[in-house]
Amino acid sequence: MHRSLNRTARRLEPLAAVPRSRHPLPDSSDRTQLSWSSPPAATPPRRQQPLDAPNSSVLPRSTPRHYDDYLNLLRSFVSRKALEPGKQLHARLLLSGLGYNTILATKLVDLYCLCDHVTLAHKLFDRIPKSNLFLWNVLIRAYAWNGPHEVAISLYYQMLDCGLAPDNFTFPFVLKACSALSALEAGRGIHELVVSTGWETDVFVGAALIDMYAKCGCVDRARELFDRIPNRDVVLWNSMIAAYARNGHPSEALLLCRDMVARGFTPTLATLVTVISASADAAALPRGREIHGLSWRRGFDSQDKVKTALVDMYAKSGWVKVARVLFEQLAEKRIVSWNSMICGYGMHGHAAEALALFDRMREEDQVLPDHITFVGLLSACNHGGLVDEGRSFFDSMLSDYRIPPAVQHYTCMIDLLGHSGRLAEAYKLIQDMTMAADSGVWGALLNACKIHRNVELGELALQKLIELEPDDAGNYVLLSNIYAQAGKWQEAAEVRKLMTDRGLKKSIACSWIEVKNQVHAFLVGDLSHPSSGEIYAELERLEGLMAEAGYEPDTMPVFHDVGDDEKRNMVRSHSERLAIAFGLISTPPGTTLLVTKNLRVCEDCHTAIKFISAIVGREIIIRDVNRYHHFKDGECSRLSLRQRQAQRAPALQPAAAG
DNA sequence: ATAGGGTTAG
């Protein structure tokens, strides 16, 4: 009836819209000082009476004028996030009899949420009628933003139980909580309701759904949804681009960005940061530079966030010096920038530079290191063979910076100790861990066991790995190699059989190189490239020169059940070699080559590429799944075992020189 | 009255 008088009608709405039985008030003994308590049961509230209507007992304090004053005050508190005045007003409202007014209470809940006092907000929420969708939205939002995210989802279900239909605000909030938890099942259920309530094509709801699917790893679902939304805006495009980027599809991210520009959308800062990071992940320097150019044309390149993404991109593409130049240009160096540069040095094996940069960061004293800084430092120590420095960083995390080491830090330490042959120490560290060791930790130990040919510990690590990830073929392959190296052919074969019995296949090695803006990918023994003839001719030419220089193929990485000649052929046509040979014949002499490989570079290729770099006089950068290898003049930036041992020798015998 | 996307590691 009075629906057309929206404002008035809302203010005057009857209060008892939610049956009390569904939301029992806590008993009175439980009430805290600030609770929005209803009057004691002996004098039940006159719930059917409009709040600010004349009432013989509360007439002076519920005049409309009074109400508006409160509302205006609360509005200003919300906009200023003024918590203390809000609390005082809360107390006064309790006395004034406006304690049941949904709108005022909701504003107060809103204020408490915005001031990070979610507990207080929730207490208040529990004591007021919940007929108001806005009230639910505000509280769900608070938990979605600040956690615990589970509460946001459970509130959403409670809201449905109350018979309220979620709207275009509820969905993005609750979906954000699902994203944070990677709660795919809950997200799917919410999606169903989105569809049946007709909100699927709303850009806000759509973006939230895309984000949820992306963070649960379902890029394809995200894309289906994206395609179904007719009127997309920039944020929706950005969400989909980010969905590809975060799920390991950098090329799709870049293509979609191109598509977006082609359709007349102007990239925003978020677009550029996302695609720059995508091209960093793809180690796609030409495309990264193209986007650098685009950022420049759009006037975004001077922004620190773009610049930091570029630091990361250039570092990952092998241009560490350019990254450093951009890093120095930053107006303000925040933790992300320091981390990008430190990690950039670390992954290229420039341990000294990484450590020096960390020292400078501490001297400048503007920002504190975080857990990522330590991942970077530890991996720098790892790639530089600095075991004792790594140990001391690891110890200082907690003692100097109050950062408890997380699983990743343990993984770095196991890697570091393990690579250096300190297997017992590594295993001891796993046993001392304060949390459960994950597959990364055991994987690091297993890898170390392979390098140092420790069969017993390797078996143990593999047992753990099979429990944790029974479907990962790589584990079986590693153990099989350990057995093979120890001459235990029988066991090696059993592991291989176990793997095939379970229907597992090793992922196929693939390497790629970009030449003139085009990606050329190669599989092992690949003959499909148009230049295959020239590629294999080049490899043969190099092999002759390598043999003269003293190169001996090591066929150990290849399984024992293959004949020697075949082994030799398999090794010589490893994908990284094909990519290098193609790079050599299709770029001018002296050009640095950047090859990316989806798995690790095998030991034999590692040796072979050292020879190649010397023979052709080129710098060759290989980015494998773990790190970067810079091959130059017959050497690699990845220290050999002997070099590592030489480095730590002085530390082991401090007094000997005396 | 309330809303969505972006950078570092693993």
Side-chain angles (χ1 to χ4, degrees), chain A residues 522 525-526 532-547 551 569 571-582 584-585 608-609 612:
Chain A
F522 300 89
D526 206 328
S532 271
E534 291 96 314
I535 291 171
Y536 281 92
E538 174 70 4
L539 277 179
E540 216 171 310
R541 183 184 77 87
L542 287 170
E543 267 170 32
L545 295 168
M546 283 155 69
Y551 164 74
N569 275 328
V571 171
R572 69 144 54 109
S573 60
H574 271 180
S575 61
E576 53 269 53
R577 297 199 195 184
L578 299 179
I580 290 171
F582 176 70
L584 290 174
I585 58 173
I609 300 165
I612 296 175

Side-chain angles (χ1 to χ4, degrees), chain A residues 39-154:
Chain A
T43 54
R46 308 180 61 164
R47 304 178 63 92
Q48 299 309 318
Q49 186 121 34
L51 259 189
D52 41 7
N55 173 315
S56 57
S57 64
V58 290
L59 191 108
R61 55 194 183 204
S62 56
T63 56
R65 161 131 191 78
H66 214 157
Y67 167 90
D68 281 341
D69 288 345
Y70 280 127
L71 188 60
N72 287 333
L73 269 173
L74 273 169
R75 276 197 188 121
S76 82
F77 294 164
V78 167
S79 66
R80 299 188 345 244
K81 297 193 182 181
L83 178 64
E84 283 309 318
K87 282 184 176 174
Q88 286 168 20
L89 193 79
H90 187 168
R92 289 197 40 201
L93 279 171
L94 288 174
L95 297 170
S96 75
L98 281 169
Y100 282 112
N101 184 282
T102 312
I103 295 179
L104 292 181
T106 302
K107 267 269 169 274
L108 211 42
V109 169
D110 194 9
L111 176 66
Y112 289 153
C113 288
L114 289 173
C115 298
D116 294 334
H117 278 57
V118 184
T119 317
L120 199 54
H122 205 145
K123 258 182 195 160
L124 174 48
F125 173 89
D126 281 339
R127 285 162 172 77
I128 49 181
K130 294 162 189 68
S131 53
N132 184 348
L133 189 57
F134 179 87
L135 177 62
W136 287 93
N137 287 351
V138 164
L139 200 63
I140 292 172
R141 177 189 69 182
Y143 283 106
W145 284 357
N146 306 309
H149 301 108
E150 292 85 349
V151 183
I153 298 174
S154 110

Side-chain angles (χ1 to χ4, degrees), chain A residues 542 546 580 584 607-620 630-636:
Chain A
L542 287 170
M546 283 155 69
I580 290 171
L584 290 174
T607 311
I609 300 165
K610 284 190 198 171
F611 279 94
I612 296 175
S613 75
I615 290 166
V616 300
R618 296 227 209 177
E619 190 174 350
I620 301 172
H630 288 252
F631 296 91
K632 201 179 172 186
D633 304 329
E635 290 299 328
C636 172

